[in-house]
Amino acid sequence: MFFAYVIAMLMPFVGWVLYVKTGWGMFLCCLLTDFVQLLCWGTVVNLKTVVIKRKSTGHIVKCFCSFVLIFLNMYPFFAMNEDFVTLYNSMVGDYSYFVDSYEGSLWVSALTVIVAFLWLSNAIREIQQAKENRESFCSSKTNEETGTKKRKDFEEDEEPVSKELEQPKVPVSSTEDVDKKESTLQMVNDTIEIKQKVINTVSPTNAVLEVSNKGWREQGLQKGKYNDDMRVPYDPKLDLEHYKYPTLELLKKSEEESSPQMDVLWLEDNKNRVVEVLHQFGVEIRNIKATVGPTITLYEIVLAEGINMSKMRGLEDNIALALSSRNVRIVPLTHSGTVGIETLNMKPSVISFKSLINSQIYQESKMELPCAIGKTQTNEVFLFDLTKAPHVLIAGSTGQGKSIALHTIIMSLLYKKHPTELKFVLMDSRGLELGLYTPIENHFLATIQDRHPIVMSGSQAIDVLRCLNIEVNRRYKLLIDAGVRDVKDYNEKFKNRLLNPESGHEYLPYIVVVIDSYSDFSIGREEEMMQSLFQLIKGARAVGVHVIIATERPSSDILSSEIKSLIPTRIAFRIAERIDSQVILDMDGAEQLLGTGDSLFKSKYSFERIQCAFLDTYEIRDTCSYIAKQQSFLHPMFLPEIADAERYTDMELGTVEKGHLDPMFADVAKFVVSIQSGSTSTIQRNYSIGYNRAGKIMDQLERMGIVGPQVGAKPREVLIKDPLTLESLLNSLE
């Protein structure tokens, strides 16, 4: 049909070409053109469609316009017919007006354009209508087939029950019959409801689907559109579906960054000096190779047979003197079976954080929590998975790069993880370093309700650690209930919708606890801090909680040997004493580092010398500002609020003895009733008391029936609404 339309519209042009190129007469060309148009428009398209298929206004108008165009195209033929011209002049007027004059030609052209426009508009409308009818027909047919299939499946599954519930067709002839029929229908409905409850109870999959359809993030699982063979996984990122990861434009390449300077003459001269010094002290070698890194140059030496490694240990100072270099370090390279001599580069280079993030190994990493901190001696980006660490101890003297290492770890996680997948608990005694991340508290931070997102005091640190212990215990219960070993398997099971949210299950983000200047939090609270930290670290790995501790002096009085045994991953920067290197790494070497980011990384998997990347303050601020301007949650992630471990579990409600009440009990009770809200943190903040004492008072308020039990992280419900009732209760205790 469409091609017929096109041919009909092009025929006047074809007739004109034939007249010009072939020399045919005007009469023959016009006759051929009108005959083809008559076939296309009249007989083939319009007449057949209108008469045989359907009679629509659009087709009638289109048919009329087609015949008008045919006659308009025939007027040159009539102009050459003398008999027709004579007849027209005698009956109507001067026919030459339409043939020779400009106005006549203009009228004919305008009429042709108008009629063609009417024909095209109707044709387009008909095409659109036909398309809509076809789509509607296909959709209705598909729905009918689907409904028929569902009815058949339902009838096959429910055949025994449907037979039992089949209603007898009894004619209604009286009021008694009506009442009897209504009672029968009620019994049938009750039976159907009981049956549906049994089905939901027996089939956990259906129960999960029903919860999903009621609004479990409503990610495409609408009623009637779910298919067991096409399960739609849950995507936690859809909670903030418009969140965009930080871009590399927020980071700037350092002006001092460059490829390591490799002066061949300088390298050759140093190798000769090393060989000469070793030969002077009776150490023969078979081969020597140099590798230039960002900060140091590594000389790999293959010792001759019979040379003891201990003989090399005492030559560090002599080699340093010969090379005019400071802090020469000799280490065995077990992976290659050689001895390494590390010396300072001729011109050390600065590593930018952008070069780490933009590297292929980071961009293509499949690690759960990838942490990029710097480059190795061979100029390769060093990346480790925090979930495999699983906790990190960073130590070194002041100004050697501990805080920069913390920033690189945090920033590398921000550039890789979504806010729904990761949360930070930040502790900084000064609030200057980690306080830069305050703008993203609603995106990535976790804290106690009504507290500052950055922990800056020892008492708050102990409270947060205890809250984290409660969170760890809560997660363990969820993992046990789900029958999995770690949080990764739990989240995979939850995303596959195999866990019911109405049973308390939820997606569990990773929690990274970052403690800067740990020794400042431990002053005067060493035992409490170590006890809370030990309880957290020993069982936090499996449930997705990881701890990073940075301190200047990891001595045994603030970090016990039990805690350090649970932290296999260590990052050591330059320290003053060799004994501190033994405390950090359980070996020597940290006292020989060069400083300004030069570090030793030790884990159960590897031992590397790393040059940490440099990360400027404005880069952190720009990144946090970029994240803060995006879609976020309404508040940070709230940790569960807890009371002191000593609870009056052996006492029933209202049996607290007078001598056991806290002296501030009455004042706190009046305050809680006046504001109609009770929480341990509110009591602690308003009365300037410790968390332990505030928790005990809250327990006493619960035992006396003033407040209700703890429900999650929400404030407790105040059961006494009237101050007079509270006054009479307090008088009874006197």
Side-chain angles (χ1 to χ4, degrees):
M1 182 184 296
F2 177 77
F3 290 105
Y5 289 158
V6 173
I7 294 173
M9 294 295 293
L10 292 178
M11 279 311 298
F13 176 77
V14 174
W16 178 79
V17 172
L18 291 175
Y19 175 75
V20 174
K21 298 294 184 181
T22 61
W24 292 357
M26 178 65 70
F27 176 81
L28 182 61
C29 293
C30 290
L31 185 62
L32 179 62
T33 300
D34 294 334
F35 178 76
V36 175
Q37 287 183 327
L38 181 63
L39 290 177
C40 293
W41 277 343
T43 306
V44 180
V45 180
N46 293 296
L47 290 180
K48 186 177 179 181
T49 305
V50 172
V51 176
I52 297 177
K53 289 190 175 181
R54 60 178 181 274
K55 297 180 180 180
S56 64
T57 305
H59 283 282
I60 295 174
V61 172
K62 190 164 49 179
C63 180
F64 173 75
C65 295
S66 300
F67 282 103
V68 172
L69 285 174
I70 291 173
F71 284 108
L72 287 175
N73 288 323
M74 292 179 64
Y75 88 90
F77 164 73
F78 293 124
M80 292 182 296
N81 193 322
E82 296 180 357
D83 295 335
F84 177 79
V85 173
T86 302
L87 179 64
Y88 185 87
N89 290 336
S90 62
M91 295 180 61
V92 180
D94 187 7
Y95 183 76
S96 63
Y97 172 79
F98 295 99
V99 179
D100 301 330
S101 66
Y102 173 79
E103 292 81 4
S105 301
L106 186 62
W107 277 105
V108 173
S109 301
L111 183 60
T112 304
V113 172
I114 293 173
V115 174
F117 174 78
L118 292 174
W119 184 89
L120 285 174
S121 63
N122 279 274
I124 293 174
R125 186 175 62 181
E126 283 295 317
I127 293 173
Q128 292 178 349
Q129 184 177 0
K131 183 179 179 181
E132 293 176 357
N133 293 337
R134 183 170 61 255
E135 292 177 352
S136 177
F137 175 77
C138 295
S139 177
S140 62
K141 186 175 181 181
T142 303
N143 293 337
E144 182 179 357
E145 292 175 356
T146 305
T148 304
K149 183 178 179 182
K150 288 184 177 179
R151 287 195 298 272
K152 289 182 179 179
D153 296 340
F154 178 79
E155 291 173 359
E156 292 175 358
D157 295 339
E158 307 299 330
E159 184 176 357
V161 180
S162 62
K163 290 182 178 180
E164 296 176 2
L165 303 180
E166 186 176 3
Q167 303 179 32
K169 298 182 180 179
V170 180
V172 181
S173 60
S174 63
T175 306
E176 296 179 358
D177 294 337
V178 173
D179 296 338
K180 186 176 181 180
K181 184 176 181 180
E182 291 178 353
S183 61
T184 303
L185 292 175
Q186 183 64 32
M187 292 175 60
V188 171
N189 294 332
D190 294 341
T191 307
I192 293 174
E193 292 179 359
I194 294 173
K195 179 195 166 189
Q196 185 64 37
K197 291 180 180 179
V198 172
I199 292 175
N200 292 339
T201 304
V202 174
S203 176
T205 304
N206 291 339
V208 173
L209 296 183
E210 186 66 18
V211 173
S212 302
N213 293 333
K214 287 183 179 179
W216 185 17
R217 307 302 196 277
E218 295 185 357
Q219 295 178 10
L221 297 182
Q222 301 178 3
K223 288 186 176 181
K225 296 183 179 180
Y226 188 85
N227 188 353
D228 289 337
D229 299 331
M230 190 172 59
R231 185 179 297 274
V232 180
Y234 167 73
D235 186 3
K237 297 181 181 180
L238 292 182
D239 290 346
L240 295 180
E241 57 182 343
H242 301 296
Y243 175 81
K244 296 181 180 180
Y245 291 87
T247 61
L248 292 176
E249 287 73 15
L250 301 172
L251 305 174
K252 295 184 179 180
K253 188 175 181 180
S254 175
E255 297 179 356
E256 300 179 4
E257 182 179 11
S258 59
S259 58
Q261 300 295 324
M262 187 179 297
D263 190 335
V264 179
L265 296 178
W266 177 80
L267 286 176
E268 191 67 27
D269 183 54
N270 280 354
K271 285 198 297 184
N272 294 334
R273 291 183 182 181
V274 170
V275 173
E276 183 180 354
V277 171
L278 295 178
H279 180 71
Q280 290 177 358
F281 289 92
V283 178
E284 300 297 332
I285 64 174
R286 292 189 298 177
N287 189 20
I288 182 171
K289 180 178 69 173
T291 303
V292 180
T295 307
I296 63 171
T297 299
L298 174 65
Y299 297 95
E300 296 187 48
I301 298 174
V302 180
L303 297 176
E305 296 181 1
I307 302 299
N308 195 347
M309 179 62 192
S310 60
K311 196 171 184 179
M312 294 280 297
R313 295 288 188 183
L315 301 178
E316 291 179 351
D317 295 337
N318 299 95
I319 295 175
L321 183 62
L323 299 179
S324 300
S325 176
R326 58 187 177 93
N327 296 332
V328 171
R329 181 169 170 264
I330 298 178
V331 292
L333 304 178
T334 56
H335 62 277
S336 60
T338 60
V339 178
I341 300 178
E342 300 172 348
T343 64
L344 183 63
N345 267 356
M346 180 179 64
K347 185 178 181 181
S349 60
V350 178
I351 301 174
S352 67
F353 180 70
K354 183 176 182 179
S355 64
L356 305 183
I357 300 300
N358 197 28
S359 63
Q360 183 178 2
I361 185 175
Y362 177 85
Q363 295 291 337
E364 299 178 357
S365 173
K366 302 299 182 182
M367 297 179 180
E368 286 293 314
L369 295 177
C371 299
I373 59 175
K375 292 186 177 181
T376 63
Q377 302 169 4
T378 56
N379 287 300
E380 297 178 355
V381 174
F382 184 78
L383 200 68
F384 72 94
D385 191 354
L386 187 57
T387 60
K388 305 295 183 182
H391 311 291
V392 183
L393 173 61
I394 303 175
S397 302
T398 304
Q400 301 303 314
K402 297 188 304 298
S403 298
I404 298 297
L406 290 178
H407 287 310
T408 55
I409 292 175
I410 295 174
M411 289 284 286
S412 59
L413 294 176
L414 292 180
Y415 271 80
K416 200 71 172 180
K417 306 302 290 185
H418 193 272
T420 56
E421 300 175 323
L422 176 65
K423 300 296 178 181
F424 290 98
V425 176
L426 303 181
M427 302 184 188
D428 184 5
S429 60
R430 302 176 183 86
L432 299 177
E433 294 291 344
L434 301 183
L436 297 172
Y437 302 98
T438 304
I440 60 173
E441 58 176 320
N442 291 347
H443 291 85
F444 283 101
L445 299 192
T447 184
I448 302 177
Q449 189 175 3
D450 299 331
R451 297 284 189 92
H452 193 274
I454 309 299
V455 179
M456 293 183 289
S457 66
S459 60
Q460 293 180 1
I462 295 174
D463 296 343
V464 170
L465 292 177
R466 290 178 176 174
C467 291
L468 287 169
N469 283 320
I470 296 299
E471 174 67 15
V472 168
N473 295 333
R474 184 184 74 88
R475 292 190 173 201
Y476 264 110
K477 293 180 181 179
L478 294 178
L479 265 62
I480 293 173
D481 185 43
V484 294
R485 295 181 58 187
D486 54 31
V487 70
K488 182 180 179 181
D489 296 338
Y490 177 88
N491 286 335
E492 287 296 327
K493 199 170 183 178
F494 185 84
K495 286 191 285 188
N496 291 329
R497 299 185 182 273
L498 301 176
L499 300 175
N500 195 337
E502 288 193 348
S503 300
H505 292 286
E506 60 179 333
Y507 183 83
L508 299 178
Y510 287 100
I511 299 178
V512 178
V513 184
V514 182
I515 307 176
D516 192 14
S517 301
Y518 172 79
S519 58
D520 295 342
F521 291 106
S522 300
I523 298 176
R525 302 177 179 86
E526 289 82 0
E527 292 297 330
E528 291 180 283
M529 281 291 296
M530 283 194 292
Q531 181 180 2
S532 300
L533 188 61
F534 178 75
Q535 292 293 330
L536 176 63
I537 291 178
K538 72 176 183 178
R541 173 186 181 179
V543 295
V545 180
H546 306 277
V547 182
I548 303 175
I549 303 174
T551 181
E552 294 182 2
R553 51 182 188 92
S555 55
S556 58
D557 58 335
I558 61 172
L559 281 176
S560 62
S561 58
E562 291 82 3
I563 294 178
K564 286 188 286 187
S565 65
L566 298 175
I567 308 178
T569 303
R570 317 281 179 83
I571 302 178
F573 291 86
R574 185 179 181 182
I575 44 87
E577 301 293 337
R578 178 174 296 182
I579 189 174
D580 292 335
S581 179
Q582 291 285 348
V583 173
I584 302 170
L585 300 174
D586 299 325
M587 61 180 296
D588 298 339
E591 75 282 357
Q592 297 175 311
L593 296 176
L594 303 175
T596 61
D598 189 18
S599 63
L600 293 174
F601 180 92
K602 180 185 178 182
S603 68
K604 55 185 177 182
Y605 304 107
S606 62
F607 182 81
E608 296 282 350
R609 187 169 183 175
I610 307 297
Q611 177 61 41
C612 287
F614 177 73
L615 187 61
D616 207 341
T617 303
Y618 72 85
E619 295 178 283
I620 302 174
R621 289 176 178 171
D622 291 346
T623 302
C624 292
S625 178
Y626 179 85
I627 296 175
K629 293 178 182 178
Q630 300 190 50
Q631 180 187 13
S632 68
F633 298 104
L634 299 179
H635 53 75
M637 174 184 173
F638 290 142
L639 298 175
E641 187 175 341
I642 63 171
D644 187 65
E646 291 185 15
R647 295 186 177 273
Y648 300 96
T649 54
D650 57 336
M651 296 185 180
E652 296 181 357
L653 184 64
T655 61
V656 181
E657 298 181 4
K658 300 178 183 179
H660 291 169
L661 289 176
D662 192 275
M664 300 181 64
F665 176 82
D667 295 336
V668 174
K670 294 178 181 179
F671 172 77
V672 169
V673 173
S674 64
I675 64 174
Q676 287 296 305
S677 177
S679 67
T680 306
S681 59
T682 303
I683 297 174
Q684 180 186 6
R685 184 174 62 255
N686 284 273
Y687 289 90
S688 300
I689 58 178
Y691 193 87
N692 295 345
R693 186 178 180 184
K696 291 180 180 179
I697 297 176
M698 183 58 67
D699 286 343
Q700 294 174 359
L701 292 174
E702 180 182 354
R703 298 297 173 184
M704 295 304 299
I706 299 176
V707 298
Q710 179 70 43
V711 181
K714 298 180 180 179
R716 296 174 184 246
E717 180 185 2
V718 180
L719 304 178
I720 297 180
K721 309 297 182 181
D722 186 10
L724 296 178
T725 305
L726 175 64
E727 193 69 25
S728 61
L729 177 62
L730 295 177
N731 292 335
S732 64
L733 297 176
E734 296 179 356

